[in-house]
């Protein structure tokens, strides 16, 4: 792939989940991922670079023949600059794990960047779909269609008792991980998140940060996903997650209404200050920018301000991340340069 084609994929405007998909503006995105491995092949952590490259080419060929209608663009991670890998991570098209071991690793992504396949990550294939809003059912329909197409050309490792065989036992069974990215600022401001999250493992769910396992939340953003894949059907996994997410949404809405009824002036002040910082600051760290953007999101959702549209706000939230700034600058930036560029970016978004 040419450098121009690579740059087209890692540019900011093309983000599958940036379009507002939830009228309540609580769910940012729904993501579903299937783990698959080929019969008779060592897991990726047992492959040398040559074997990994050979297997990646084989899978890429099947992608282009069995699922050609998706119009795949293939990226070899060895061909990407460090900042470009970071951009794909921010778009949730890559995982942190695959960035640790790039030789022989590939990413296949469709034009809309809603479908992606990581090749030779923890498993031979990690197929995923990501859509805006709470769209688990629609996402599963797309993902299972892709799985069926690839199964025509690839022999997936399967056991009658254990289901699909995966490198990590927690992914045995369906191999399905379904997750929803939620913005829960009101529950955070009213100190109710800990009690809610404490109950999730009891129903087979887990909470993670923005970048998945081992990552931290960024200013009220959380991923809720299923914890177990063995012993449950895909429909059961999706239905349970859908139900629990709807309950959390209802609690977030209640917390927002409580703030409106009991702390409105305080909340308006916090939101107004956030707008002021984002519209006027000359230096902004990532943490400060995300904190103010979280308050701005809350203000827009509650009708307490209207200084920016939802798609632009989503793009701003992604754009302030360091990898995007590095890619836009086409050079390595020091901390002061990043903070200055980040502040320039938020001012530009809010001046439109």
């Amino acid at each position: 792939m040419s450098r121009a084609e690579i740059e087209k994929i890692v540019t900011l405007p093309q983000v599958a989940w940036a379009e507002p998909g939830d009228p309540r503006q609580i769910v940012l995105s729904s993501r579903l991922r299937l783990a698959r491995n080929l019969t008779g092949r060592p897991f990726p952590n047992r492959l040398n670079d040559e074997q990994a490259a050979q297997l990646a080419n084989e899978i890429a060929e099947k992608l282009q023949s069995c699922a050609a209608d998706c119009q795949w663009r293939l990226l070899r991670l060895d061909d990407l600059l460090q900042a470009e890998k970071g951009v794909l991570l921010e778009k949730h098209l890559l995982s942190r794990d695959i960035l640790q071991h790039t030789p022989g690793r590939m990413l296949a992504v469709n034009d809309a960047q809603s479908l992606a396949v990581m090749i030779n990550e923890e498993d031979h294939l990690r197929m995923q779909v990501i859509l805006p809003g709470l769209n688990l059912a629609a996402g599963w329909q797309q993902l299972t269609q892709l799985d069926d197409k690839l199964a025509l050309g690839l022999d997936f490792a399967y056991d009658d008792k254990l289901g699909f065989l995966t490198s990590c036992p927690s992914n045995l069974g369906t191999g399905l991980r379904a997750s929803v990215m939620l913005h829960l600022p009101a529950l955070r401001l009213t100190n109710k998140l800990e009690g809610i999250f404490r109950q999730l493992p009891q129903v087979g769910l887990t909470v993670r940060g923005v970048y998945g396992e081992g990552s931290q939340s960024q200013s009220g953003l959380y991923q809720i996903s299923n914890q177990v894949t063995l012993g449950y059907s895909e429909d059961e996994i999706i239905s349970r997650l859908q139900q629990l997410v709807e309950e959390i949404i209802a609690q977030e809405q209640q917390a927002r209404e409580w703030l409106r009824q009991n702390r409105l002036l305080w909340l308006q002040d916090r939101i107004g200050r956030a707008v002021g910082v984002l519209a006027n600051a000359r230096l902004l760290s990532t943490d400060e920018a995300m904190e103010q953007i979280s308050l701005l999101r809350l203000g827009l959702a509650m009708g307490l301000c209207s200084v920016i549209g939802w798609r632009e706000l989503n793009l701003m939230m992604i754009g302030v991340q360091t990898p995007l700034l590095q890619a836009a600058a086409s050079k390595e930036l020091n901390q002061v340069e990043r903070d200055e560029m980040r502040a320039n970016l938020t001012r530009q978004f809010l001046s439109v």
Side-chain angles (χ1 to χ4, degrees), residues 16-157:
W17 51 272
E19 300 296 338
D22 175 17
R24 297 163 294 193
Q25 300 304 335
I26 294 174
V27 178
L28 274 71
S29 65
S30 300
R31 182 166 52 157
L32 297 100
R33 187 215 70 200
L34 283 175
R36 296 288 186 262
N37 290 280
L38 304 190
T39 301
R41 309 292 184 91
F43 290 130
N45 63 352
R46 303 300 298 270
L47 297 172
N48 60 37
D49 292 352
E50 182 179 352
Q51 291 171 323
Q54 182 178 355
L55 185 60
N57 289 332
E58 179 182 336
I59 294 173
E61 182 180 337
K62 294 300 181 182
L63 271 172
Q64 292 177 311
S65 60
C66 298
D69 56 321
C70 295
Q71 298 180 335
W72 299 104
R73 295 179 182 271
L74 297 171
L75 299 175
R76 298 181 187 276
L77 268 63
D78 282 343
D79 295 338
L80 301 181
L81 303 175
Q82 194 62 35
E84 291 171 338
K85 296 175 187 176
V87 171
L88 295 172
L89 178 65
E90 297 296 341
K91 289 187 173 188
H92 300 293
L93 296 174
L94 283 182
S95 68
R96 285 183 168 180
D97 285 342
I98 200 170
L99 293 180
Q100 305 303 315
H101 310 284
T102 56
R105 273 62 174 179
M106 294 177 65
L107 172 71
V109 59
N110 69 345
D111 283 339
Q113 299 187 19
S114 57
L115 281 173
V117 180
M118 287 184 288
I119 301 175
N120 283 332
E121 194 234 29
E122 186 177 286
D123 296 289
H124 294 149
L125 295 95
R126 287 285 179 94
M127 298 174 271
Q128 78 157 33
V129 60
I130 183 167
L131 297 174
L134 186 56
N135 279 302
L136 292 169
W140 173 240
Q141 184 177 13
Q142 291 186 34
L143 192 59
T144 191
Q145 288 175 356
L146 175 60
D147 185 39
D148 290 344
K149 290 174 183 177
L150 290 180
L152 297 175
L154 296 170
D155 185 12
F156 292 143

Side-chain angles (χ1 to χ4, degrees), residues 190 253-268 302 304:
T190 54
Q253 289 176 311
Q254 291 172 9
R256 293 182 183 190
E257 187 57 29
W258 185 91
L259 287 171
R260 186 189 299 276
Q261 296 296 327
N262 298 278
R263 302 291 301 277
L264 181 59
L265 188 60
W266 173 83
L267 185 60
Q268 288 173 320
M302 294 181 65
L304 300 178

Side-chain angles (χ1 to χ4, degrees), residues 102-331:
T102 56
R105 273 62 174 179
M106 294 177 65
L107 172 71
V109 59
N110 69 345
D111 283 339
Q113 299 187 19
S114 57
L115 281 173
V117 180
M118 287 184 288
I119 301 175
N120 283 332
E121 194 234 29
E122 186 177 286
D123 296 289
H124 294 149
L125 295 95
R126 287 285 179 94
M127 298 174 271
Q128 78 157 33
V129 60
I130 183 167
L131 297 174
L134 186 56
N135 279 302
L136 292 169
W140 173 240
Q141 184 177 13
Q142 291 186 34
L143 192 59
T144 191
Q145 288 175 356
L146 175 60
D147 185 39
D148 290 344
K149 290 174 183 177
L150 290 180
L152 297 175
L154 296 170
D155 185 12
F156 292 143
Y158 186 84
D159 179 86
D160 289 339
K161 292 183 178 180
L162 298 176
F164 289 99
L165 302 181
T166 56
S167 63
C168 180
S170 65
N171 290 320
L172 289 170
T174 62
L176 173 65
R177 292 283 181 177
S179 66
V180 173
M181 183 77 73
L182 295 160
H183 182 229
L184 305 173
L187 287 171
R188 182 168 172 256
L189 289 171
T190 54
N191 299 313
K192 293 183 178 179
L193 279 177
E194 184 177 349
I196 295 172
F197 290 165
R198 195 185 304 121
Q199 300 173 28
L200 292 180
Q202 301 173 22
V203 291
L205 300 179
T206 187
V207 59
R208 297 185 171 97
V210 175
Y211 305 105
E213 189 170 359
S215 65
Q216 301 297 313
S217 166
Q218 281 193 321
S219 301
L221 292 174
Y222 303 89
Q223 282 194 72
I224 308 293
S225 65
N226 63 302
Q227 200 167 23
V228 180
T229 63
L230 183 61
Y232 298 95
S233 70
E234 294 89 347
D235 289 340
E236 288 173 328
I237 290 170
I238 292 170
S239 176
R240 177 175 298 191
L241 179 60
Q242 177 87 23
Q243 179 183 349
L244 266 295
V245 167
E246 290 284 5
E247 292 177 10
I248 293 173
I249 289 172
Q251 293 183 66
E252 171 66 19
Q253 289 176 311
Q254 291 172 9
R256 293 182 183 190
E257 187 57 29
W258 185 91
L259 287 171
R260 186 189 299 276
Q261 296 296 327
N262 298 278
R263 302 291 301 277
L264 181 59
L265 188 60
W266 173 83
L267 185 60
Q268 288 173 320
D269 182 70
R270 292 286 301 272
I271 293 168
R273 290 173 184 271
V275 173
V277 169
L278 293 170
N280 296 285
R282 265 41 185 182
L283 293 171
L284 273 177
S285 67
T286 304
D287 289 344
E288 185 179 12
M290 289 300 295
E291 186 67 33
Q292 309 311 322
I293 289 172
S294 177
L295 287 165
L296 178 53
R297 292 190 68 88
L298 180 60
L300 285 180
M302 294 181 65
L304 300 178
C305 68
S306 57
V307 295
I308 191 173
W310 282 108
R311 184 176 189 275
E312 288 72 26
L313 181 58
N314 287 340
L315 292 176
M316 180 170 69
M317 183 181 70
I318 305 167
V320 298
Q321 306 301 323
T322 295
L324 273 296
L325 298 176
Q326 298 279 180
S330 300
K331 67 174 185 177

